[in-house]
Coordinates of all heavy atoms in Angstrom, one line a residue:
Q100 N 107.7 75.6 88.6 CA 108.3 74.6 89.4 C 109.3 75.2 90.4 O 109.5 74.7 91.5 CB 109.0 73.6 88.5 CG 109.6 72.4 89.2 CD 110.2 71.4 88.2 OE1 110.1 71.5 87.0 NE2 110.9 70.4 88.8
H104 N 106.2 80.7 95.0 CA 104.9 81.1 94.5 C 104.3 82.3 95.3 O 103.3 82.1 96.1 CB 103.9 79.9 94.5 CG 102.6 80.1 93.8 ND1 101.6 79.2 93.8 CD2 102.2 81.2 93.1 CE1 100.6 79.7 93.1 NE2 100.9 80.9 92.7
L121 N 105.8 95.4 73.8 CA 106.6 94.3 74.3 C 106.3 93.0 73.5 O 105.2 93.0 72.9 CB 106.1 94.1 75.8 CG 106.7 95.1 76.8 CD1 105.8 95.1 78.1 CD2 108.1 94.8 77.1
G135 N 106.1 98.0 83.3 CA 106.8 97.3 84.4 C 106.4 97.9 85.8 O 107.2 98.0 86.7
N164 N 130.3 102.5 99.1 CA 130.0 103.9 99.7 C 131.1 104.3 100.7 O 131.0 105.4 101.2 CB 128.6 103.8 100.4 CG 127.5 103.9 99.3 OD1 127.6 104.8 98.5 ND2 126.6 103.0 99.4
K169 N 131.9 108.9 90.7 CA 131.4 110.1 89.9 C 130.0 110.0 89.6 O 129.3 111.0 89.8 CB 132.2 110.1 88.6 CG 133.6 110.8 88.7 CD 134.2 111.1 87.4 CE 134.3 109.9 86.5 NZ 135.0 110.1 85.2
P170 N 129.4 108.9 89.1 CA 128.0 108.9 88.8 C 127.1 109.2 90.0 O 126.1 110.0 89.9 CB 127.7 107.4 88.3 CG 129.0 107.0 87.8 CD 130.1 107.6 88.7
R186 N 119.7 117.0 100.1 CA 120.6 115.8 100.3 C 119.9 114.5 99.9 O 118.7 114.4 100.2 CB 121.2 115.7 101.7 CG 122.1 116.8 102.0 CD 122.8 116.7 103.3 NE 123.7 117.9 103.5 CZ 125.0 117.9 103.2 NH1 125.5 116.8 102.6 NH2 125.7 119.0 103.4
A204 N 113.0 110.1 110.0 CA 112.0 110.7 110.9 C 112.3 110.4 112.4 O 112.2 111.2 113.2 CB 110.6 110.3 110.5
A214 N 114.3 109.3 122.7 CA 113.2 108.4 123.1 C 113.1 107.4 122.1 O 113.6 107.5 121.0 CB 111.9 109.2 123.3
G228 N 105.6 99.3 100.5 CA 106.6 98.2 100.3 C 106.4 97.1 101.3 O 105.5 97.1 102.1
M231 N 109.8 94.9 106.7 CA 109.0 95.1 107.9 C 108.6 96.5 108.3 O 107.6 96.8 108.7 CB 109.8 94.4 109.1 CG 109.9 92.9 109.0 SD 108.3 92.0 108.6 CE 107.4 92.3 110.1
G238 N 98.9 100.7 104.6 CA 97.5 100.7 105.2 C 96.6 99.7 104.6 O 95.5 100.0 104.3
R243 N 99.6 92.9 106.1 CA 100.3 93.0 107.4 C 100.0 91.8 108.3 O 100.8 91.4 109.1 CB 100.0 94.3 108.2 CG 100.5 95.5 107.5 CD 100.6 96.7 108.5 NE 99.3 96.8 109.3 CZ 98.3 97.5 109.0 NH1 98.3 98.3 108.0 NH2 97.2 97.5 109.8
N259 N 93.0 112.0 102.5 CA 92.2 113.1 102.1 C 91.2 113.7 103.2 O 90.3 114.4 102.9 CB 91.4 112.8 100.8 CG 92.3 113.1 99.6 OD1 93.2 113.9 99.6 ND2 92.0 112.4 98.5
G285 N 94.4 102.1 94.7 CA 93.3 102.3 93.9 C 93.4 103.6 93.0 O 92.4 104.0 92.4
A289 N 95.9 113.0 96.0 CA 95.6 113.8 97.2 C 94.9 115.1 96.8 O 95.1 115.7 95.7 CB 96.9 114.2 97.9
C301 N 102.0 119.5 110.2 CA 103.4 119.2 110.4 C 104.2 120.4 110.9 O 105.0 120.3 111.8 CB 104.0 118.6 109.1 SG 103.3 117.0 108.7
L310 N 106.7 112.5 101.7 CA 105.9 112.2 100.5 C 106.5 111.0 99.7 O 107.7 111.1 99.3 CB 105.7 113.4 99.6 CG 104.8 114.5 100.2 CD1 104.6 115.6 99.2 CD2 103.4 114.0 100.7
V348 N 117.0 101.0 91.4 CA 117.6 102.0 92.2 C 116.4 102.9 92.8 O 115.4 103.1 92.1 CB 118.6 102.9 91.4 CG1 117.9 103.5 90.1 CG2 119.1 104.1 92.2
A352 N 115.4 111.6 99.8 CA 116.0 112.9 99.8 C 115.4 113.8 100.8 O 114.2 113.6 101.1 CB 116.0 113.6 98.4
N374 N 125.5 102.6 93.7 CA 126.8 102.2 93.0 C 126.8 102.9 91.6 O 125.9 103.4 91.1 CB 127.0 100.7 93.1 CG 126.3 99.9 92.0 OD1 125.7 100.5 91.1 ND2 126.4 98.6 92.1
F388 N 115.1 112.8 80.3 CA 113.8 113.5 80.7 C 114.0 115.0 80.2 O 113.0 115.6 79.7 CB 113.7 113.5 82.2 CG 112.7 112.5 82.7 CD1 113.0 111.1 82.7 CD2 111.4 112.8 83.1 CE1 112.1 110.2 83.1 CE2 110.5 111.9 83.5 CZ 110.8 110.5 83.5
V397 N 104.1 114.6 78.8 CA 103.0 114.0 79.6 C 101.9 115.0 79.9 O 100.7 114.7 79.7 CB 103.5 113.5 81.0 CG1 102.4 113.0 81.9 CG2 104.5 112.4 80.8
F417 N 79.0 99.9 83.3 CA 79.7 99.2 84.4 C 81.0 99.9 84.8 O 81.7 99.5 85.7 CB 79.9 97.8 84.1 CG 80.7 97.5 82.8 CD1 82.1 97.6 82.8 CD2 80.0 97.2 81.6 CE1 82.8 97.4 81.6 CE2 80.7 97.0 80.4 CZ 82.1 97.1 80.4
A429 N 93.1 105.5 86.3 CA 92.3 104.3 86.7 C 90.9 104.4 86.2 O 90.3 105.5 86.1 CB 92.4 104.1 88.2
V439 N 88.8 91.3 82.4 CA 89.1 92.3 81.4 C 90.6 92.4 81.1 O 91.0 92.4 79.9 CB 88.7 93.7 82.0 CG1 89.2 94.9 81.1 CG2 87.2 93.8 82.1
L464 N 106.1 106.8 79.5 CA 105.7 108.3 79.4 C 105.9 108.8 77.9 O 105.6 109.9 77.6 CB 106.6 109.1 80.4 CG 106.4 108.7 81.8 CD1 107.2 109.7 82.7 CD2 105.0 108.7 82.3
L478 N 90.3 98.3 74.5 CA 89.5 98.3 75.7 C 88.0 98.4 75.3 O 87.1 97.7 75.9 CB 89.8 99.5 76.6 CG 90.6 99.2 77.8 CD1 90.7 100.5 78.7 CD2 90.1 98.1 78.7

Side-chain angles (χ1 to χ4, degrees):
Q100 187 176 351
H104 190 184
L121 285 161
N164 283 310
K169 278 193 306 186
R186 291 186 182 269
M231 293 311 294
R243 294 197 313 267
N259 276 332
C301 289
L310 291 184
V348 56
N374 85 4
F388 261 74
V397 173
F417 57 82
V439 170
L464 304 184
L478 259 185

